[in-house]
């Protein structure tokens, strides 16, 4: 089937927080078509591709009519006539057309939606789902291990507690499907415990329970109890993972812990987190320090030791160059990979390759503002990324992604969707 881009269309759709966002649709000469929607974050790293928002009064300034116009106008003009199967060329054309370092002229939202739509169209032209198209030539295809939020927090829950994500990872599960089953039991158990304690107040931005706790530690205690109540061994079967998102409450090495009503310096925050690592079955900790605090991040990575994933999100913003710089000073050991932070799939893949070259782990991640778009699941499977983070186990913008993984698992004839061998995870030695 021929795969020349003949039309690119942008439209305004709405995300899980009721904000406008950009959908792009790409049509090819042979009749194939691909479509994708840009997500958006709340805790946004300063090095991210910049979303184009209209400003003004409508929808709090979040409207995207200018970004949609960019897709229908300049982006379409730049791409028409090019082969959709050459993603690198198509992305380079958009980057050149934009001409800024932060993608602010055409908009990271306009560009990432188009970039992902091109990939879907190319896969469709080859009669394949995107995951299979991207995995062409790989001998082993596996489903990623889900990292699932149980309690929301930080910027996603009115700063009720400082920590942004209290998550679980079903490290003992043998298959993707089983990891979802175990997670569903823990989520349910956490809800039961909160109701019994009179703390049930609905859910936060990504579907995790609203953290009506008096302290960060109380949330951790509830999480351990939820794992136990669900019938699993904390640590061995279901472990805890945290996203501290420290850039959201700290600058210049000073951190304001609202839940505890005190301010700490980098060493104070590190000590508190290291004490949690000693007391709770935590296997991963994301953005433990602010993005402007790389030396403290390096010290924390060394102090936490080998068996813990130190995940960089705001620190590296899905940038190959930033990952290389962080790896050079030992700040972190795992890259969070969010396509909309980079702005194109080519740059997202380059960040993943840089992480691999540095010996880092990687986790493909959704944003807090999501939609029914399931592209990231295809990217995780197609690129062979071992972990996937998409928020909680509730709300359809999250469940659409977990459910897409089930379909892919079923389609995999070999391995039946088995998770990659446990010992291949960085925390394997610890378990
Ligand atoms: P965000 O949060 O999408 O609001 O940035 C997700 C994360 O920090 O990982
Ligand atoms: Zn994060």
């Amino acid at each position: 089937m021929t795969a020349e881009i003949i039309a690119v269309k942008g439209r305004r759709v709405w995300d899980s927080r009721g904000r406008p966002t950009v959908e792009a649709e790409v049509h090819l000469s042979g009749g194939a078509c691909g479509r994708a929607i840009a997500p958006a974050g709340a805790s946004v790293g300063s090095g991210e591709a910049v979303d184009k928002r209209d400003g003004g009064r409508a929808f709090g300034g979040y409207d995207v009519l200018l970004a949609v116009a960019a897709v229908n106008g300049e982006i379409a003009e730049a791409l028409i006539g090019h082969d959709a199967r050459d993603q690198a060329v198509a992305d380079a054309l958009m980057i050149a057309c934009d001409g800024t370092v932060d993608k602010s002229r055409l908009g990271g939202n306009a560009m990432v939606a188009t970039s992902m739509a091109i990939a879907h169209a190319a896969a469709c032209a080859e009669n394949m789902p995107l995951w299979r198209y991207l995995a062409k030539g790989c001998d082993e295809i596996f489903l990623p291990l889900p990292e699932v939020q149980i309690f929301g927090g930080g910027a996603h829950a009115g700063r009720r507690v400082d920590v942004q994500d209290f998550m679980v990872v079903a490290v003992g599960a043998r298959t993707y499907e089983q990891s979802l089953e175990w997670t569903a039991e823990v989520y349910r158990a956490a809800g039961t415990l909160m109701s019994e304690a009179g703390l049930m107040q609905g859910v936060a931005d990504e579907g995790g329970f609203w953290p009506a706790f008096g302290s960060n530690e109380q949330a951790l205690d509830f999480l351990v109890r939820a794992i136990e109540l669900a019938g699993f061994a904390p640590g061995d079967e279901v472990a805890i993972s945290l996203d501290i998102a420290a850039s959201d409450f700290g600058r210049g090495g000073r951190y304001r812990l609202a839940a505890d009503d005190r301010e700490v310096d980098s060493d104070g925050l590190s000590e508190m987190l290291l004490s949690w690592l000693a007391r709770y079955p935590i296997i991963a900790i994301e953005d433990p320090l602010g993005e402007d605090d790389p030396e403290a991040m390096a010290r924390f990575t060394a102090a936490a030791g080998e068996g813990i994933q130190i995940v960089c999100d705001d620190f590296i913003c899905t940038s190959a160059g930033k990952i290389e710089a962080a790896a050079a000073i030992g700040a972190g050991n795992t890259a969070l990979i969010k396509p909309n932070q980079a702005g194109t799939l080519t740059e997202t893949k380059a960040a993943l390759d840089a992480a691999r070259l540095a010996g880092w782990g990687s986790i493909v991640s959704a944003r807090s503002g999501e939609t029914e778009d399931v592209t990231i699941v295809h990217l995780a499977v197609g690129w062979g990324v071992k972990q996937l983070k998409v928020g909680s186990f509730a709300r359809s913008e999250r469940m659409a992604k977990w459910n897409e993984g089930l379909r892919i698992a079923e389609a995999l004839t070999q391995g039946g969707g088995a998770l990659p061998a446990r010992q291949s995870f960085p925390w394997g030695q610890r378990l």
Side-chain angles (χ1 to χ4, degrees):
M1 201 190 278
T2 58
E4 191 180 305
I5 298 174
I6 56 165
V8 180
K9 174 156 180 43
R11 70 173 63 86
R12 183 180 69 181
V13 294
W14 302 84
D15 76 13
S16 55
R17 292 180 300 198
R19 282 186 192 164
T21 187
V22 182
E23 177 169 271
E25 202 171 282
V26 170
H27 293 266
L28 308 186
S29 49
C33 167
R35 205 171 66 194
I37 309 176
S43 57
V44 176
S46 61
E48 293 193 17
V50 172
D51 282 351
K52 195 172 183 66
R53 302 280 180 184
D54 296 358
R57 293 183 54 174
F59 318 123
Y62 284 103
D63 211 352
V64 292
L65 295 178
L66 294 171
V68 167
V71 176
N72 285 319
E74 284 189 70
I75 290 178
E77 231 168 82
L79 292 176
I80 284 170
H82 289 275
D83 195 307
R85 290 167 301 195
D86 203 339
Q87 184 83 38
V89 168
D91 287 341
L93 284 166
M94 279 197 285
I95 291 165
C97 179
D98 170 71
T100 66
V101 284
D102 59 5
K103 302 190 171 62
S104 54
R105 202 180 71 77
L106 295 175
N109 44 359
M111 290 171 71
V112 79
T114 309
S115 184
M116 296 193 300
I118 291 168
H120 279 292
C124 173
E126 305 245 318
N127 269 320
M128 284 181 214
L130 182 56
W131 63 269
R132 202 183 277 283
Y133 172 75
L134 293 173
K136 258 192 299 185
C138 296
D139 359 303
E140 196 200 14
I141 305 178
F142 50 80
L143 267 292
L145 182 59
E147 192 180 23
V148 190
Q149 186 196 68
I150 303 298
F151 305 125
H156 299 163
R159 305 224 63 85
R160 187 67 174 73
V161 290
D162 304 298
V163 175
Q164 181 179 279
D165 293 300
F166 294 88
M167 297 172 284
V168 293
V169 181
V171 288
R174 285 190 311 281
T175 63
Y176 175 83
E177 181 163 26
Q178 190 173 47
S179 76
L180 295 187
E181 288 169 1
W182 290 15
T183 302
E185 298 287 19
V186 174
Y187 186 74
R188 240 172 82 80
T192 304
L193 288 176
M194 292 197 80
S195 295
E196 283 172 5
L199 297 176
M200 178 57 87
Q201 290 181 17
V203 299
D205 269 8
E206 298 191 8
F209 294 115
W210 187 266
F213 300 115
S215 66
N216 297 299
E217 279 92 343
Q218 196 188 5
L220 284 164
D221 290 333
F222 264 75
L223 195 45
V224 173
R225 283 173 55 204
I227 294 168
E228 286 168 346
L229 180 63
F232 302 107
D236 282 338
E237 290 179 311
V238 178
I240 294 177
S241 164
L242 301 175
D243 183 359
I244 309 300
S247 302
D248 272 9
F249 59 88
R251 280 283 170 276
R254 303 292 307 172
Y255 298 89
R256 172 95 210 126
L257 296 167
D260 301 345
D261 194 23
R262 66 190 171 111
E263 194 176 288
V264 291
D265 62 8
S266 312
D267 288 340
L269 181 60
S270 296
E271 270 163 38
M272 183 185 83
L273 298 177
L274 289 169
S275 80
W276 292 357
L277 293 183
R279 275 158 46 216
Y280 298 99
I282 296 170
I283 46 128
I285 188 155
E286 183 177 324
D287 285 349
L289 291 133
E291 61 173 83
D292 63 350
D293 209 356
E295 287 83 21
M297 181 72 160
R299 288 198 300 277
F300 182 82
T301 305
E306 288 269 296
I308 304 285
Q309 277 194 313
I310 309 297
V311 185
C312 297
D313 174 10
D314 293 348
F315 251 103
I316 53 151
C317 293
T318 315
S319 144
K322 285 185 164 55
I323 291 170
E324 283 157 15
I329 61 162
N333 59 25
T334 302
L336 201 72
I337 301 289
K338 294 168 162 172
N340 82 319
Q341 284 183 327
T344 63
L345 284 191
T346 303
E347 291 160 288
T348 307
K349 180 63 167 45
L352 175 62
D353 291 343
R356 285 175 167 160
L357 204 63
W360 280 28
S362 45
I363 305 171
V364 168
S365 172
R367 303 307 304 256
S368 46
E370 272 293 336
T371 65
E372 68 273 25
D373 188 283
V374 295
T375 306
I376 55 163
V377 186
H378 289 251
L379 298 180
V381 176
W383 287 343
V385 177
K386 291 176 184 161
Q387 289 169 267
L388 178 65
K389 174 186 179 190
V390 309
S392 195
F393 209 69
R395 310 201 345 174
S396 289
E397 81 278 5
R398 313 288 152 190
M399 302 319 291
K401 294 166 183 63
W402 301 131
N403 290 342
E404 185 73 352
L406 289 171
R407 292 180 202 106
I408 296 173
E410 193 182 288
L412 278 172
T413 47
Q414 279 187 338
L419 291 164
R422 250 172 80 171
Q423 61 272 23
S424 67
F425 286 99
W427 57 82
Q429 313 132 341
R430 195 182 130 107
L431 293 175

Short mmCIF file of all heavy atoms in Angstrom, two decimals, residues 88 109 121:
data_model
loop_
_atom_site.label_atom_id
_atom_site.label_comp_id
_atom_site.label_asym_id
_atom_site.label_seq_id
_atom_site.Cartn_x
_atom_site.Cartn_y
_atom_site.Cartn_z
N ALA A 88 11.23 9.64 11.01
CA ALA A 88 12.31 10.58 11.34
C ALA A 88 12.26 11.80 10.43
O ALA A 88 12.43 12.93 10.89
CB ALA A 88 13.66 9.88 11.23
N ASN A 109 1.91 20.31 21.72
CA ASN A 109 0.66 19.54 21.64
C ASN A 109 0.29 19.26 20.17
O ASN A 109 -0.09 18.13 19.83
CB ASN A 109 -0.48 20.25 22.39
CG ASN A 109 -0.56 21.75 22.13
OD1 ASN A 109 0.25 22.32 21.39
ND2 ASN A 109 -1.53 22.40 22.74
N ALA A 121 -0.85 5.89 11.16
CA ALA A 121 -1.18 5.79 9.74
C ALA A 121 -0.21 4.86 9.02
O ALA A 121 -0.63 4.02 8.20
CB ALA A 121 -1.17 7.18 9.10
#
